[in-house]
Structure formats: structure tokens, C-alpha cells
Amino acid sequence: MEKNEWDVPVNALHPKAHHTGREIIIHNPTSATPLANWSLQDSISIATPGGAVPEQINNVVLTPWLDAPVTRAGWEHLSTQSASFDEPDFIVPHGLKPAAGAVIVELDSRVWLAHPTNQFAGYSATFPKGTIDEGYSYRATAIKECFEETGLQVRIIGWLGDFVRSASYTRYYLAERTGGSPADMGWESQAVSLTPTPLLKTVATSPMDQPILDQLSQYLRLKNHGV
């Protein structure tokens, strides 16, 4: 790994290649936090590709999801294991692509964020999401994108809202982590962080994410009050 004159790492090879097989260079790699951070609910914890992570968080292990689906049918099967809840019709405004993603909330209310490789599209950190491929449901897309961008296996537990993004209209679900490891993130992410809710706006700083954060704050207030 190269370092600049301040001894800060620059230019690292992502361990996961692009889906075309092309190597991905991270120009300014993110630094991982010490393992001790992960047990501190008021601190931001950061995992890097292939890096060290704790054995478990909230009694759910952090190990690579080795049998993740590789077909549309596999992802759709997982989507049928979502919690039972209603969601409104998804009406996409003209000129925007339909997309789906999820906000992954831990039992202790910390939230997982993906840090796009080389700050793609101007995001330093954001919530996993992706456009809807032909034949995929919204829920299957969200589960698939969570795995590809964070390395985590999730279960959809509710509908958070529909939001205008820079080039898409995205349905975001609420999700709980059931397995996987952030160190197993795909090439689209150069880091994954577990962030206390009071610090989310200091990490997910894009104006596009603020409506999602506001809706999430409302959900967490209700959750914490047992509503």
C-alpha cells in the first residue's frame, strides 16, 4: 500500500473485483477503528474490506455469508421471509429510475452505513440501495443490495418511506441484521460503519440522505417509546 508524505495510506486494491473482473483501486482508503470500539454504543465503528471485526454484536455473529444467493430466485425466496407488513403502491416520478434499499438497524439502535468506494456520486457514507433489475421485487433488491454493499445478511421488517434520490426514486425498508460480516463488503464500498443514531448526520452528510434520517428518527422515537 502506498503512503503519502504524512504517512497516510493512499491507493489500495479492493479485495473484491468489479463484476466485470476489473480490479478496483481505492484512492484514499478509510481507516478501520480498533476492535474495542465495536462494544461502545456511543462511538462510530468502522470495518474495512477484509479487515478484522468482532466475533459478534448483540449476540448475532459476524461471519461471511458463504451461501448467499447467486440467482434471482434465491433472492426472491429470501424476500418471502420478510416480516408481515403493508406498504403503499410505489409510483415512480417521471425521469427517475426505480430503486430499493434498506436502513439496517441493530437491536441497540445503532445503524449500518456503506461508504461508497472513492466517494462515488459524492457520498462519503449512505444507506445501501440499488436500481431494480428486471424481474426483481423491491424487497429482494433491498436484501441483495445490503449484502453487496455491506456484506450483511438482513431480514426486512418494515417500510420506512419512498425518497427522491439524485437519479432514482427509492423505496427504503427497515431491516435487521441476521448474519454476514461487514469485512465482506463488495467492491462498491470501501468501508462499512456502525453508527450511533445521534451521530448519523455527522457521517451520512449528503443532503439527499436528510429526509431518510428524519424519517428514521421518527421511527426510532416511536420504537423507544414502545409504540
Side-chain angles (χ1 to χ4, degrees):
M1 181 183 297
E2 299 179 22
K3 294 186 178 182
N4 61 19
E5 60 184 301
W6 300 283
D7 202 38
V8 176
V10 294
N11 294 339
L13 180 65
H14 200 297
K16 297 287 185 70
H18 187 273
H19 57 77
T20 63
R22 175 171 54 87
E23 291 184 339
I24 299 296
I25 301 297
I26 304 172
H27 299 304
N28 291 287
T30 306
S31 297
T33 51
L35 285 178
N37 267 57
W38 293 87
S39 62
L40 304 177
Q41 296 186 17
D42 59 352
S43 296
I44 299 169
S45 301
I46 300 174
T48 52
V53 294
E55 294 182 358
Q56 59 85 25
I57 296 174
N58 295 318
N59 296 317
V60 180
V61 296
L62 291 174
T63 56
W65 186 12
L66 299 179
D67 59 347
V70 294
T71 65
R72 178 174 62 83
W75 292 111
E76 292 297 340
H77 175 70
L78 285 181
S79 74
T80 65
Q81 300 173 16
S82 302
S84 178
F85 61 91
D86 295 325
E87 52 186 295
D89 292 338
F90 190 48
I91 302 173
V92 182
H94 179 71
L96 295 177
K97 297 178 180 179
V103 177
I104 310 168
V105 182
E106 279 289 317
L107 292 174
D108 57 27
S109 293
R110 286 184 289 177
V111 177
W112 294 91
L113 294 170
H115 296 242
T117 299
N118 298 324
Q119 297 191 354
F120 180 77
Y123 290 94
S124 58
T126 189
F127 304 100
K129 65 97 175 172
T131 53
I132 309 289
D133 291 331
E134 184 176 358
Y136 278 79
S137 67
Y138 309 130
R139 296 187 187 191
T141 297
I143 296 168
K144 178 173 176 285
E145 294 296 329
C146 284
F147 173 61
E148 291 178 349
E149 297 184 13
T150 70
L152 301 177
Q153 180 179 1
V154 304
R155 177 174 178 264
I156 301 296
I157 60 173
W159 170 73
L160 182 64
D162 301 333
F163 302 90
V164 173
R165 310 294 285 172
S166 53
S168 70
Y169 191 60
T170 301
R171 169 150 294 186
Y172 277 98
Y173 295 99
L174 292 161
E176 61 183 8
R177 178 179 60 90
T178 59
S181 169
D184 197 35
M185 70 192 80
W187 64 269
E188 292 175 288
S189 301
Q190 69 178 57
V192 173
S193 63
L194 183 58
T195 305
T197 50
L199 300 179
L200 280 172
K201 289 190 176 183
T202 69
V203 182
T205 56
S206 170
M208 303 301 297
D209 282 330
Q210 300 315 299
I212 303 171
L213 292 170
D214 292 340
Q215 190 70 15
L216 176 63
S217 295
Q218 181 177 342
Y219 161 76
L220 291 174
R221 282 197 298 271
L222 294 173
K223 175 188 173 184
N224 292 336
H225 285 85
V227 178

